[in-house]
Amino acid sequence: MLRTDAGHKPEHMVFGAALTTASFLCVAVMSALGKVAGQLTSTGVVVLFQNLIALLFIAPIALRGGWEPLRTEKLSLHILRAASGTACWYALFVAITMMPLTNAILLSFSAPLWMPVIAWLITREKSSTATGFGAALGFVGVVLVLQPHHHRFNVGTLFALAAALLLAVALMSVRWLGATEPMPRILLYYFLLSTVMAIPIAVIQWHSVPAQAWIYLLGIGFAQLFAQVLIVLAYHYASSVKLGPFIYTTIVFTALIDWVVWHHPPTLFVVVGMVLVIGGGLVAIRGKSETPLASIES
């Protein structure tokens, strides 16, 4: 998940880009592990351990100065970010058990294309012409990936698209939080609230977890932790606006993993769709206007 930086610091784009790329490599690995774990246990259990393991490591760091980091005037935004993020991962983990990993990730990480629409609905923020053009281009790519005239309907598609909408909300809420909240507090609230939200679902869906599944659950938790730590470090070197386009490296990494591990080489439609989604997303990111923070009610 991304945030906006405050203040002006010397930038080192090479370091920032490398750390961001490593972060989204962790996201790709986490998604692949989630696909396997989803065959061995319930999605609720996967989401619970994804956040619980990260919480156990983040909490001591965030709270090393006492309980002061928990004080916030943006609780509603923290809840929105946690709810949308948790629901996003739940939907994504369901989707990747029902369709090729590459397709699910490509559809889910089309989130930047939906952000102008959501921004307009929430704040009536007007998007630039470039943003509208980029979003339209990306949506053509989404249609190519879906290939509605070639495939039977797959309900996993609905989960993947739902994940995209939820991810867009999560990304925007972190952008709003990042204007005033320090990153340790954002991470602490996210993992704490997400763990609490995931517990009831995990309890309802709980069943005997085979020993093999625990390996994948631990891997998912640590991949989530590393992804968050790396992206936080990346923002010490460059702004989130400049590093935002690197979100699409996840799609490339996932396609390679899907090809090597599950022997699902991307079809021509998926490759073209991937190019359009990534290209459209880059145009949309570069052309988007900033949301007036004063218009966001916390």
Side-chain angles (χ1 to χ4, degrees), residues 2-6 174-179 235 240-241 290 293:
L2 309 178
R3 73 177 180 95
T4 47
D5 292 330
V174 176
R175 189 178 87 178
W176 298 329
L177 282 169
Y235 290 143
S240 61
V241 173
E290 291 295 325
L293 294 171

Side-chain angles (χ1 to χ4, degrees), residues 134-145:
L137 192 66
F139 286 132
V140 172
V142 169
V143 172
L144 286 178
V145 175

Side-chain angles (χ1 to χ4, degrees), residues 222-287:
F222 281 110
Q224 171 78 319
L225 176 64
F226 293 148
Q228 294 290 345
V229 170
L230 287 168
I231 201 67
V232 170
L233 290 175
Y235 290 143
H236 285 290
Y237 294 101
S239 69
S240 61
V241 173
K242 292 183 179 179
L243 295 177
F246 287 90
I247 186 176
Y248 292 110
T249 58
T250 301
I251 298 173
V252 178
F253 289 135
T254 301
L256 293 174
I257 293 173
D258 203 15
W259 192 348
V260 173
V261 177
W262 283 281
H263 307 293
H264 290 151
T267 65
L268 179 60
F269 276 105
V270 171
V271 171
V272 175
M274 187 184 302
V275 171
L276 291 175
V277 169
I278 294 175
L282 294 177
V283 174
I285 288 174
R286 290 305 183 190

Side-chain angles (χ1 to χ4, degrees), residues 5 25 32 45 87 103 128 133 165 179 202 221 250 263 280:
D5 292 330
L25 172 60
V45 171
N103 295 36
S128 66
F133 174 76
L165 291 170
T250 301
H263 307 293

Side-chain angles (χ1 to χ4, degrees), residues 170-205:
L171 290 171
M172 295 180 69
S173 63
V174 176
R175 189 178 87 178
W176 298 329
L177 282 169
T180 57
E181 298 285 84
M183 181 52 73
R185 183 183 299 162
I186 294 175
L187 290 177
L188 178 62
Y189 268 102
Y190 175 71
F191 290 127
L192 176 61
L193 292 172
S194 295
T195 298
V196 171
M197 293 174 183
I199 288 176
I201 303 174
V203 170
I204 293 173
Q205 297 184 345

Side-chain angles (χ1 to χ4, degrees), residues 109-164:
F109 279 79
S110 66
L113 304 177
W114 300 96
M115 291 173 69
V117 178
I118 295 174
W120 182 82
L121 290 174
I122 296 176
T123 68
R124 288 300 186 264
E125 171 189 357
K126 294 183 179 180
S127 300
S128 66
T129 302
T131 298
F133 174 76
L137 192 66
F139 286 132
V140 172
V142 169
V143 172
L144 286 178
V145 175
L146 293 177
Q147 299 179 60
H149 59 290
H150 276 89
H151 292 286
R152 291 180 300 173
F153 175 74
N154 186 336
V155 70
T157 298
L158 294 180
F159 280 97
L161 291 175

